[in-house]
Amino acid sequence: MPYYPDGSPYVYDDLWPELVNVGWLDDSHPYRRGDVPVELVDGLLRLAADPVNVTRGVHTCPFCGGSYLTVENPHAASGSTLLGSAEIHVRGAGGGGFAAPTLMIHYVLDHGYAPPPPFQRAVLRGSGRGGGAPPGRR
Ligand SMILES: [Zn+2]
């Protein structure tokens, strides 16, 4: 999976151009660590149950080598979500938004990743693409 610094511009969505990257980690760049509220994980799972940009391949975790990682997800119809094959997009406070790989949930749960506070607030506010999508797109 490509590495993008947290907060760098996300360039793959010209319909929602003000997205910034969060959670595109790799094992050669340090990342922000810390505890996160359980509500953040729940919010991420809710967003991951309705992902965007689903790909055919599955990305491998750069830290533990895990692939085809799944996580129990009460928000998903199947009860679990495969990580590493899609993105979650969530609106920020100022009209922009954030684009993160679903594998980020694994980074948070198993590798101590603490996403940037503006992203955490956006997830907790809970306006993902499913609920707050720009006109004509979800
Ligand atoms: Zn891992």
Side-chain angles (χ1 to χ4, degrees), residues 69-94:
L69 296 162
T70 59
V71 63
E72 286 186 37
N73 189 347
H75 303 286
S78 64
S80 69
T81 292
L82 173 67
L83 303 178
S85 65
E87 298 174 10
I88 56 178
H89 291 182
V90 60
R91 276 197 177 285

Side-chain angles (χ1 to χ4, degrees), residues 2-3 14 27 74 93 100:
Y3 169 80
D14 50 5
D27 62 356

Side-chain angles (χ1 to χ4, degrees), residues 3 8 13 19 21 26-28 39 49 51 58 62-63 65 70 84 100 114 132 136:
Y3 169 80
S8 62
D13 189 344
L19 292 175
N21 294 302
D26 72 8
D27 62 356
S28 59
E39 293 83 3
V58 174
F63 306 109
T70 59

Side-chain angles (χ1 to χ4, degrees), residues 60-66 69 103 106-107 110-111:
T60 298
C61 174
F63 306 109
C64 68
L69 296 162
L103 199 55
H106 168 71
Y107 300 155
D110 293 307
H111 298 296

